[in-house]
Amino acid sequence: MADAIRGRRTVRHYSSDPVAPELIEELLELAMQAPSAWNMQDRSIVVVTSESGRAALSEAAFGQPQPQEAPVVLVFVADAAAWRAANADIAELAGRNGAWNAEFTALFDARAEYLTLERHGLLRENAVKNAMIAATYAMLAATGLGLASAPMNGWDPELVKKAIGIGDREDLAIAVLVTIGYSDIAPPHPGRRPREQTVFAERYPAAR
């Protein structure tokens, strides 16, 4: 894992080599191991491999080439309304696995935290956070599997939603696009600022 974290690079250009289906399956399995608040799993992945689908995503991303060059594009979808369903299967599985007791299950069923998030207008933000955690897992898993990846910014969310068939779903949000494939080059590390500029003890520093 430490090697994957240190070795991961954002790759914007890909070779034409396909990704084996079994590698994609392993990548998805690892990505879905990501945690989410209350294990609500209010995030999904749409796997786009067709030429037409990737072209539509490239168009939604203002012509960026990554979706057309990479053989696989993962679209991470955040479901801000997932908590409204009964989700009994989540609690039942956690109980069978010995992960939740009756007290915790009752808290899950009460949804008090989600009611608070709703009151403060933070449901979408919460779901997007969970989707981004899963996307991070996916990128690290890709590195561990010998694949290249790139998280993509700069896209029209409505066009992305249309490209994956949810153009009419206002309850769903697009968190991020991640391209997956092989690269002929290993981009150099651009470097990171010294930790003393970005890591602080106890409190964020006062403005200078």
PDB file of all heavy atoms in Angstrom, residues 29-65:
ATOM      1  N   GLU A  29     -13.957  -4.514  -7.134  1.00  0.00           N
ATOM      2  CA  GLU A  29     -14.119  -5.158  -5.830  1.00  0.00           C
ATOM      3  C   GLU A  29     -13.353  -4.391  -4.758  1.00  0.00           C
ATOM      4  O   GLU A  29     -13.860  -4.165  -3.648  1.00  0.00           O
ATOM      5  CB  GLU A  29     -13.625  -6.606  -5.905  1.00  0.00           C
ATOM      6  CG  GLU A  29     -13.485  -7.309  -4.566  1.00  0.00           C
ATOM      7  CD  GLU A  29     -14.803  -7.474  -3.820  1.00  0.00           C
ATOM      8  OE1 GLU A  29     -15.867  -7.451  -4.478  1.00  0.00           O
ATOM      9  OE2 GLU A  29     -14.768  -7.625  -2.589  1.00  0.00           O
ATOM     10  N   LEU A  30     -12.140  -3.979  -5.078  1.00  0.00           N
ATOM     11  CA  LEU A  30     -11.334  -3.237  -4.118  1.00  0.00           C
ATOM     12  C   LEU A  30     -11.918  -1.848  -3.865  1.00  0.00           C
ATOM     13  O   LEU A  30     -11.945  -1.378  -2.722  1.00  0.00           O
ATOM     14  CB  LEU A  30      -9.893  -3.129  -4.616  1.00  0.00           C
ATOM     15  CG  LEU A  30      -9.117  -4.446  -4.660  1.00  0.00           C
ATOM     16  CD1 LEU A  30      -7.798  -4.269  -5.410  1.00  0.00           C
ATOM     17  CD2 LEU A  30      -8.869  -4.980  -3.253  1.00  0.00           C
ATOM     18  N   ALA A  31     -12.389  -1.187  -4.911  1.00  0.00           N
ATOM     19  CA  ALA A  31     -12.964   0.152  -4.750  1.00  0.00           C
ATOM     20  C   ALA A  31     -14.184   0.122  -3.854  1.00  0.00           C
ATOM     21  O   ALA A  31     -14.398   1.022  -3.021  1.00  0.00           O
ATOM     22  CB  ALA A  31     -13.327   0.732  -6.114  1.00  0.00           C
ATOM     23  N   MET A  32     -14.996  -0.929  -3.973  1.00  0.00           N
ATOM     24  CA  MET A  32     -16.218  -1.003  -3.188  1.00  0.00           C
ATOM     25  C   MET A  32     -15.983  -1.431  -1.742  1.00  0.00           C
ATOM     26  O   MET A  32     -16.906  -1.517  -0.954  1.00  0.00           O
ATOM     27  CB  MET A  32     -17.219  -1.935  -3.853  1.00  0.00           C
ATOM     28  CG  MET A  32     -17.825  -1.364  -5.132  1.00  0.00           C
ATOM     29  SD  MET A  32     -18.891   0.097  -4.861  1.00  0.00           S
ATOM     30  CE  MET A  32     -17.743   1.475  -5.038  1.00  0.00           C
ATOM     31  N   GLN A  33     -14.717  -1.691  -1.393  1.00  0.00           N
ATOM     32  CA  GLN A  33     -14.374  -1.920   0.007  1.00  0.00           C
ATOM     33  C   GLN A  33     -14.230  -0.606   0.769  1.00  0.00           C
ATOM     34  O   GLN A  33     -14.057  -0.609   1.998  1.00  0.00           O
ATOM     35  CB  GLN A  33     -13.072  -2.721   0.122  1.00  0.00           C
ATOM     36  CG  GLN A  33     -13.158  -4.142  -0.427  1.00  0.00           C
ATOM     37  CD  GLN A  33     -14.196  -4.972   0.289  1.00  0.00           C
ATOM     38  OE1 GLN A  33     -14.279  -4.968   1.504  1.00  0.00           O
ATOM     39  NE2 GLN A  33     -15.002  -5.692  -0.474  1.00  0.00           N
ATOM     40  N   ALA A  34     -14.296   0.504   0.059  1.00  0.00           N
ATOM     41  CA  ALA A  34     -14.128   1.810   0.697  1.00  0.00           C
ATOM     42  C   ALA A  34     -15.205   2.053   1.743  1.00  0.00           C
ATOM     43  O   ALA A  34     -16.355   1.651   1.571  1.00  0.00           O
ATOM     44  CB  ALA A  34     -14.166   2.917  -0.367  1.00  0.00           C
ATOM     45  N   PRO A  35     -14.853   2.711   2.834  1.00  0.00           N
ATOM     46  CA  PRO A  35     -15.857   3.015   3.852  1.00  0.00           C
ATOM     47  C   PRO A  35     -16.791   4.129   3.406  1.00  0.00           C
ATOM     48  O   PRO A  35     -16.473   4.919   2.511  1.00  0.00           O
ATOM     49  CB  PRO A  35     -15.005   3.474   5.047  1.00  0.00           C
ATOM     50  CG  PRO A  35     -13.783   4.068   4.405  1.00  0.00           C
ATOM     51  CD  PRO A  35     -13.515   3.229   3.181  1.00  0.00           C
ATOM     52  N   SER A  36     -17.948   4.178   4.053  1.00  0.00           N
ATOM     53  CA  SER A  36     -18.890   5.283   3.856  1.00  0.00           C
ATOM     54  C   SER A  36     -19.599   5.513   5.173  1.00  0.00           C
ATOM     55  O   SER A  36     -19.699   4.599   6.010  1.00  0.00           O
ATOM     56  CB  SER A  36     -19.903   4.958   2.753  1.00  0.00           C
ATOM     57  OG  SER A  36     -20.606   3.755   3.037  1.00  0.00           O
ATOM     58  N   ALA A  37     -20.076   6.723   5.387  1.00  0.00           N
ATOM     59  CA  ALA A  37     -20.736   7.056   6.649  1.00  0.00           C
ATOM     60  C   ALA A  37     -21.902   6.118   6.906  1.00  0.00           C
ATOM     61  O   ALA A  37     -22.753   5.909   6.040  1.00  0.00           O
ATOM     62  CB  ALA A  37     -21.220   8.504   6.607  1.00  0.00           C
ATOM     63  N   TRP A  38     -21.912   5.513   8.110  1.00  0.00           N
ATOM     64  CA  TRP A  38     -22.943   4.547   8.498  1.00  0.00           C
ATOM     65  C   TRP A  38     -23.016   3.368   7.539  1.00  0.00           C
ATOM     66  O   TRP A  38     -24.033   2.701   7.444  1.00  0.00           O
ATOM     67  CB  TRP A  38     -24.313   5.224   8.605  1.00  0.00           C
ATOM     68  CG  TRP A  38     -24.424   6.128   9.776  1.00  0.00           C
ATOM     69  CD1 TRP A  38     -24.224   7.484   9.785  1.00  0.00           C
ATOM     70  CD2 TRP A  38     -24.718   5.755  11.123  1.00  0.00           C
ATOM     71  NE1 TRP A  38     -24.368   7.974  11.050  1.00  0.00           N
ATOM     72  CE2 TRP A  38     -24.691   6.941  11.905  1.00  0.00           C
ATOM     73  CE3 TRP A  38     -25.019   4.542  11.742  1.00  0.00           C
ATOM     74  CZ2 TRP A  38     -24.935   6.940  13.266  1.00  0.00           C
ATOM     75  CZ3 TRP A  38     -25.271   4.544  13.108  1.00  0.00           C
ATOM     76  CH2 TRP A  38     -25.229   5.733  13.858  1.00  0.00           C
ATOM     77  N   ASN A  39     -21.947   3.127   6.806  1.00  0.00           N
ATOM     78  CA  ASN A  39     -21.919   2.051   5.803  1.00  0.00           C
ATOM     79  C   ASN A  39     -23.101   2.164   4.837  1.00  0.00           C
ATOM     80  O   ASN A  39     -23.587   1.162   4.304  1.00  0.00           O
ATOM     81  CB  ASN A  39     -21.928   0.671   6.476  1.00  0.00           C
ATOM     82  CG  ASN A  39     -21.456  -0.433   5.546  1.00  0.00           C
ATOM     83  OD1 ASN A  39     -20.653  -0.214   4.647  1.00  0.00           O
ATOM     84  ND2 ASN A  39     -21.964  -1.636   5.741  1.00  0.00           N
ATOM     85  N   MET A  40     -23.544   3.396   4.578  1.00  0.00           N
ATOM     86  CA  MET A  40     -24.721   3.608   3.742  1.00  0.00           C
ATOM     87  C   MET A  40     -24.451   3.251   2.278  1.00  0.00           C
ATOM     88  O   MET A  40     -25.369   2.985   1.513  1.00  0.00           O
ATOM     89  CB  MET A  40     -25.186   5.066   3.855  1.00  0.00           C
ATOM     90  CG  MET A  40     -26.552   5.342   3.266  1.00  0.00           C
ATOM     91  SD  MET A  40     -27.888   4.418   4.048  1.00  0.00           S
ATOM     92  CE  MET A  40     -27.971   5.194   5.659  1.00  0.00           C
ATOM     93  N   GLN A  41     -23.163   3.274   1.896  1.00  0.00           N
ATOM     94  CA  GLN A  41     -22.784   2.898   0.531  1.00  0.00           C
ATOM     95  C   GLN A  41     -23.595   3.704  -0.496  1.00  0.00           C
ATOM     96  O   GLN A  41     -24.085   3.183  -1.491  1.00  0.00           O
ATOM     97  CB  GLN A  41     -22.962   1.394   0.329  1.00  0.00           C
ATOM     98  CG  GLN A  41     -22.102   0.580   1.286  1.00  0.00           C
ATOM     99  CD  GLN A  41     -22.490  -0.866   1.384  1.00  0.00           C
ATOM    100  OE1 GLN A  41     -22.316  -1.622   0.422  1.00  0.00           O
ATOM    101  NE2 GLN A  41     -23.004  -1.285   2.545  1.00  0.00           N
ATOM    102  N   ASP A  42     -23.672   4.998  -0.205  1.00  0.00           N
ATOM    103  CA  ASP A  42     -24.445   5.912  -1.032  1.00  0.00           C
ATOM    104  C   ASP A  42     -23.625   6.441  -2.207  1.00  0.00           C
ATOM    105  O   ASP A  42     -23.679   7.610  -2.549  1.00  0.00           O
ATOM    106  CB  ASP A  42     -24.981   7.061  -0.179  1.00  0.00           C
ATOM    107  CG  ASP A  42     -23.910   7.706   0.694  1.00  0.00           C
ATOM    108  OD1 ASP A  42     -22.766   7.193   0.721  1.00  0.00           O
ATOM    109  OD2 ASP A  42     -24.217   8.706   1.365  1.00  0.00           O
ATOM    110  N   ARG A  43     -22.850   5.523  -2.792  1.00  0.00           N
ATOM    111  CA  ARG A  43     -22.046   5.854  -3.971  1.00  0.00           C
ATOM    112  C   ARG A  43     -22.028   4.645  -4.882  1.00  0.00           C
ATOM    113  O   ARG A  43     -22.059   3.501  -4.434  1.00  0.00           O
ATOM    114  CB  ARG A  43     -20.626   6.290  -3.595  1.00  0.00           C
ATOM    115  CG  ARG A  43     -19.697   5.184  -3.065  1.00  0.00           C
ATOM    116  CD  ARG A  43     -20.066   4.684  -1.705  1.00  0.00           C
ATOM    117  NE  ARG A  43     -19.139   3.736  -1.133  1.00  0.00           N
ATOM    118  CZ  ARG A  43     -19.234   2.413  -1.277  1.00  0.00           C
ATOM    119  NH1 ARG A  43     -20.169   1.900  -2.046  1.00  0.00           N
ATOM    120  NH2 ARG A  43     -18.387   1.619  -0.676  1.00  0.00           N
ATOM    121  N   SER A  44     -21.997   4.923  -6.154  1.00  0.00           N
ATOM    122  CA  SER A  44     -21.980   3.865  -7.157  1.00  0.00           C
ATOM    123  C   SER A  44     -20.930   4.194  -8.198  1.00  0.00           C
ATOM    124  O   SER A  44     -20.459   5.337  -8.289  1.00  0.00           O
ATOM    125  CB  SER A  44     -23.348   3.731  -7.841  1.00  0.00           C
ATOM    126  OG  SER A  44     -24.370   3.480  -6.899  1.00  0.00           O
ATOM    127  N   ILE A  45     -20.564   3.177  -8.972  1.00  0.00           N
ATOM    128  CA  ILE A  45     -19.622   3.378 -10.081  1.00  0.00           C
ATOM    129  C   ILE A  45     -20.299   2.939 -11.372  1.00  0.00           C
ATOM    130  O   ILE A  45     -20.830   1.834 -11.445  1.00  0.00           O
ATOM    131  CB  ILE A  45     -18.338   2.560  -9.888  1.00  0.00           C
ATOM    132  CG1 ILE A  45     -17.673   2.896  -8.551  1.00  0.00           C
ATOM    133  CG2 ILE A  45     -17.365   2.815 -11.036  1.00  0.00           C
ATOM    134  CD1 ILE A  45     -16.467   2.022  -8.241  1.00  0.00           C
ATOM    135  N   VAL A  46     -20.282   3.804 -12.351  1.00  0.00           N
ATOM    136  CA  VAL A  46     -20.696   3.419 -13.698  1.00  0.00           C
ATOM    137  C   VAL A  46     -19.423   3.189 -14.508  1.00  0.00           C
ATOM    138  O   VAL A  46     -18.590   4.095 -14.634  1.00  0.00           O
ATOM    139  CB  VAL A  46     -21.575   4.501 -14.355  1.00  0.00           C
ATOM    140  CG1 VAL A  46     -21.942   4.098 -15.781  1.00  0.00           C
ATOM    141  CG2 VAL A  46     -22.842   4.726 -13.528  1.00  0.00           C
ATOM    142  N   VAL A  47     -19.272   1.974 -15.021  1.00  0.00           N
ATOM    143  CA  VAL A  47     -18.069   1.587 -15.763  1.00  0.00           C
ATOM    144  C   VAL A  47     -18.350   1.790 -17.251  1.00  0.00           C
ATOM    145  O   VAL A  47     -19.206   1.116 -17.830  1.00  0.00           O
ATOM    146  CB  VAL A  47     -17.694   0.119 -15.491  1.00  0.00           C
ATOM    147  CG1 VAL A  47     -16.387  -0.232 -16.188  1.00  0.00           C
ATOM    148  CG2 VAL A  47     -17.595  -0.133 -13.989  1.00  0.00           C
ATOM    149  N   VAL A  48     -17.646   2.705 -17.863  1.00  0.00           N
ATOM    150  CA  VAL A  48     -17.873   3.038 -19.274  1.00  0.00           C
ATOM    151  C   VAL A  48     -16.682   2.552 -20.092  1.00  0.00           C
ATOM    152  O   VAL A  48     -15.551   2.999 -19.884  1.00  0.00           O
ATOM    153  CB  VAL A  48     -18.069   4.554 -19.467  1.00  0.00           C
ATOM    154  CG1 VAL A  48     -18.321   4.879 -20.941  1.00  0.00           C
ATOM    155  CG2 VAL A  48     -19.215   5.060 -18.599  1.00  0.00           C
ATOM    156  N   THR A  49     -16.932   1.625 -20.991  1.00  0.00           N
ATOM    157  CA  THR A  49     -15.866   1.083 -21.840  1.00  0.00           C
ATOM    158  C   THR A  49     -16.166   1.240 -23.333  1.00  0.00           C
ATOM    159  O   THR A  49     -15.255   1.125 -24.153  1.00  0.00           O
ATOM    160  CB  THR A  49     -15.632  -0.417 -21.546  1.00  0.00           C
ATOM    161  OG1 THR A  49     -16.852  -1.131 -21.756  1.00  0.00           O
ATOM    162  CG2 THR A  49     -15.166  -0.618 -20.115  1.00  0.00           C
ATOM    163  N   SER A  50     -17.415   1.493 -23.694  1.00  0.00           N
ATOM    164  CA  SER A  50     -17.765   1.601 -25.114  1.00  0.00           C
ATOM    165  C   SER A  50     -17.153   2.863 -25.711  1.00  0.00           C
ATOM    166  O   SER A  50     -16.967   3.882 -25.030  1.00  0.00           O
ATOM    167  CB  SER A  50     -19.284   1.629 -25.290  1.00  0.00           C
ATOM    168  OG  SER A  50     -19.824   2.838 -24.781  1.00  0.00           O
ATOM    169  N   GLU A  51     -16.857   2.800 -26.984  1.00  0.00           N
ATOM    170  CA  GLU A  51     -16.274   3.956 -27.668  1.00  0.00           C
ATOM    171  C   GLU A  51     -17.237   5.136 -27.654  1.00  0.00           C
ATOM    172  O   GLU A  51     -16.830   6.281 -27.427  1.00  0.00           O
ATOM    173  CB  GLU A  51     -15.920   3.574 -29.110  1.00  0.00           C
ATOM    174  CG  GLU A  51     -15.148   4.654 -29.851  1.00  0.00           C
ATOM    175  CD  GLU A  51     -14.674   4.201 -31.216  1.00  0.00           C
ATOM    176  OE1 GLU A  51     -14.609   2.972 -31.450  1.00  0.00           O
ATOM    177  OE2 GLU A  51     -14.347   5.071 -32.045  1.00  0.00           O
ATOM    178  N   SER A  52     -18.517   4.856 -27.870  1.00  0.00           N
ATOM    179  CA  SER A  52     -19.504   5.943 -27.892  1.00  0.00           C
ATOM    180  C   SER A  52     -19.669   6.564 -26.507  1.00  0.00           C
ATOM    181  O   SER A  52     -19.791   7.787 -26.375  1.00  0.00           O
ATOM    182  CB  SER A  52     -20.850   5.422 -28.400  1.00  0.00           C
ATOM    183  OG  SER A  52     -21.339   4.380 -27.559  1.00  0.00           O
ATOM    184  N   GLY A  53     -19.666   5.720 -25.477  1.00  0.00           N
ATOM    185  CA  GLY A  53     -19.806   6.232 -24.116  1.00  0.00           C
ATOM    186  C   GLY A  53     -18.624   7.083 -23.708  1.00  0.00           C
ATOM    187  O   GLY A  53     -18.784   8.151 -23.097  1.00  0.00           O
ATOM    188  N   ARG A  54     -17.432   6.630 -24.064  1.00  0.00           N
ATOM    189  CA  ARG A  54     -16.232   7.393 -23.709  1.00  0.00           C
ATOM    190  C   ARG A  54     -16.159   8.699 -24.501  1.00  0.00           C
ATOM    191  O   ARG A  54     -15.699   9.728 -23.987  1.00  0.00           O
ATOM    192  CB  ARG A  54     -14.992   6.540 -23.912  1.00  0.00           C
ATOM    193  CG  ARG A  54     -14.902   5.390 -22.903  1.00  0.00           C
ATOM    194  CD  ARG A  54     -13.643   4.568 -23.015  1.00  0.00           C
ATOM    195  NE  ARG A  54     -13.602   3.767 -24.223  1.00  0.00           N
ATOM    196  CZ  ARG A  54     -12.816   3.977 -25.274  1.00  0.00           C
ATOM    197  NH1 ARG A  54     -11.968   5.006 -25.254  1.00  0.00           N
ATOM    198  NH2 ARG A  54     -12.847   3.191 -26.316  1.00  0.00           N
ATOM    199  N   ALA A  55     -16.637   8.666 -25.747  1.00  0.00           N
ATOM    200  CA  ALA A  55     -16.673   9.890 -26.554  1.00  0.00           C
ATOM    201  C   ALA A  55     -17.628  10.905 -25.933  1.00  0.00           C
ATOM    202  O   ALA A  55     -17.341  12.116 -25.897  1.00  0.00           O
ATOM    203  CB  ALA A  55     -17.089   9.566 -27.979  1.00  0.00           C
ATOM    204  N   ALA A  56     -18.767  10.424 -25.436  1.00  0.00           N
ATOM    205  CA  ALA A  56     -19.729  11.323 -24.794  1.00  0.00           C
ATOM    206  C   ALA A  56     -19.142  11.935 -23.525  1.00  0.00           C
ATOM    207  O   ALA A  56     -19.369  13.116 -23.231  1.00  0.00           O
ATOM    208  CB  ALA A  56     -21.012  10.560 -24.464  1.00  0.00           C
ATOM    209  N   LEU A  57     -18.368  11.151 -22.782  1.00  0.00           N
ATOM    210  CA  LEU A  57     -17.739  11.684 -21.582  1.00  0.00           C
ATOM    211  C   LEU A  57     -16.641  12.678 -21.928  1.00  0.00           C
ATOM    212  O   LEU A  57     -16.443  13.671 -21.215  1.00  0.00           O
ATOM    213  CB  LEU A  57     -17.178  10.541 -20.730  1.00  0.00           C
ATOM    214  CG  LEU A  57     -18.227   9.650 -20.063  1.00  0.00           C
ATOM    215  CD1 LEU A  57     -17.563   8.485 -19.353  1.00  0.00           C
ATOM    216  CD2 LEU A  57     -19.090  10.453 -19.091  1.00  0.00           C
ATOM    217  N   SER A  58     -15.926  12.436 -23.012  1.00  0.00           N
ATOM    218  CA  SER A  58     -14.914  13.388 -23.462  1.00  0.00           C
ATOM    219  C   SER A  58     -15.573  14.715 -23.827  1.00  0.00           C
ATOM    220  O   SER A  58     -15.075  15.799 -23.479  1.00  0.00           O
ATOM    221  CB  SER A  58     -14.142  12.829 -24.663  1.00  0.00           C
ATOM    222  OG  SER A  58     -13.202  13.766 -25.141  1.00  0.00           O
ATOM    223  N   GLU A  59     -16.708  14.628 -24.496  1.00  0.00           N
ATOM    224  CA  GLU A  59     -17.441  15.843 -24.852  1.00  0.00           C
ATOM    225  C   GLU A  59     -17.927  16.560 -23.595  1.00  0.00           C
ATOM    226  O   GLU A  59     -17.852  17.785 -23.498  1.00  0.00           O
ATOM    227  CB  GLU A  59     -18.630  15.489 -25.745  1.00  0.00           C
ATOM    228  CG  GLU A  59     -19.434  16.700 -26.206  1.00  0.00           C
ATOM    229  CD  GLU A  59     -20.589  16.324 -27.110  1.00  0.00           C
ATOM    230  OE1 GLU A  59     -20.673  15.153 -27.521  1.00  0.00           O
ATOM    231  OE2 GLU A  59     -21.419  17.218 -27.399  1.00  0.00           O
ATOM    232  N   ALA A  60     -18.426  15.785 -22.619  1.00  0.00           N
ATOM    233  CA  ALA A  60     -18.882  16.380 -21.363  1.00  0.00           C
ATOM    234  C   ALA A  60     -17.735  17.041 -20.609  1.00  0.00           C
ATOM    235  O   ALA A  60     -17.951  17.968 -19.824  1.00  0.00           O
ATOM    236  CB  ALA A  60     -19.529  15.319 -20.482  1.00  0.00           C
ATOM    237  N   ALA A  61     -16.506  16.562 -20.859  1.00  0.00           N
ATOM    238  CA  ALA A  61     -15.317  17.110 -20.202  1.00  0.00           C
ATOM    239  C   ALA A  61     -14.637  18.149 -21.083  1.00  0.00           C
ATOM    240  O   ALA A  61     -13.416  18.325 -21.032  1.00  0.00           O
ATOM    241  CB  ALA A  61     -14.350  15.990 -19.847  1.00  0.00           C
ATOM    242  N   PHE A  62     -15.435  18.818 -21.905  1.00  0.00           N
ATOM    243  CA  PHE A  62     -14.950  19.919 -22.731  1.00  0.00           C
ATOM    244  C   PHE A  62     -13.825  19.511 -23.670  1.00  0.00           C
ATOM    245  O   PHE A  62     -12.902  20.282 -23.925  1.00  0.00           O
ATOM    246  CB  PHE A  62     -14.521  21.099 -21.849  1.00  0.00           C
ATOM    247  CG  PHE A  62     -15.526  21.459 -20.787  1.00  0.00           C
ATOM    248  CD1 PHE A  62     -15.192  21.388 -19.452  1.00  0.00           C
ATOM    249  CD2 PHE A  62     -16.818  21.836 -21.128  1.00  0.00           C
ATOM    250  CE1 PHE A  62     -16.125  21.702 -18.467  1.00  0.00           C
ATOM    251  CE2 PHE A  62     -17.755  22.155 -20.149  1.00  0.00           C
ATOM    252  CZ  PHE A  62     -17.410  22.083 -18.808  1.00  0.00           C
ATOM    253  N   GLY A  63     -13.897  18.262 -24.157  1.00  0.00           N
ATOM    254  CA  GLY A  63     -12.948  17.793 -25.149  1.00  0.00           C
ATOM    255  C   GLY A  63     -11.660  17.232 -24.593  1.00  0.00           C
ATOM    256  O   GLY A  63     -10.746  16.910 -25.373  1.00  0.00           O
ATOM    257  N   GLN A  64     -11.554  17.067 -23.290  1.00  0.00           N
ATOM    258  CA  GLN A  64     -10.339  16.458 -22.743  1.00  0.00           C
ATOM    259  C   GLN A  64     -10.167  15.055 -23.329  1.00  0.00           C
ATOM    260  O   GLN A  64     -11.141  14.317 -23.489  1.00  0.00           O
ATOM    261  CB  GLN A  64     -10.418  16.378 -21.218  1.00  0.00           C
ATOM    262  CG  GLN A  64     -10.404  17.738 -20.533  1.00  0.00           C
ATOM    263  CD  GLN A  64     -10.357  17.594 -19.023  1.00  0.00           C
ATOM    264  OE1 GLN A  64      -9.341  17.168 -18.446  1.00  0.00           O
ATOM    265  NE2 GLN A  64     -11.441  17.961 -18.362  1.00  0.00           N
ATOM    266  N   PRO A  65      -8.923  14.666 -23.660  1.00  0.00           N
ATOM    267  CA  PRO A  65      -8.720  13.413 -24.388  1.00  0.00           C
ATOM    268  C   PRO A  65      -8.742  12.149 -23.530  1.00  0.00           C
ATOM    269  O   PRO A  65      -8.890  11.049 -24.065  1.00  0.00           O
ATOM    270  CB  PRO A  65      -7.334  13.602 -25.002  1.00  0.00           C
ATOM    271  CG  PRO A  65      -6.604  14.484 -24.021  1.00  0.00           C
ATOM    272  CD  PRO A  65      -7.657  15.431 -23.508  1.00  0.00           C
TER     273      PRO A  65
END
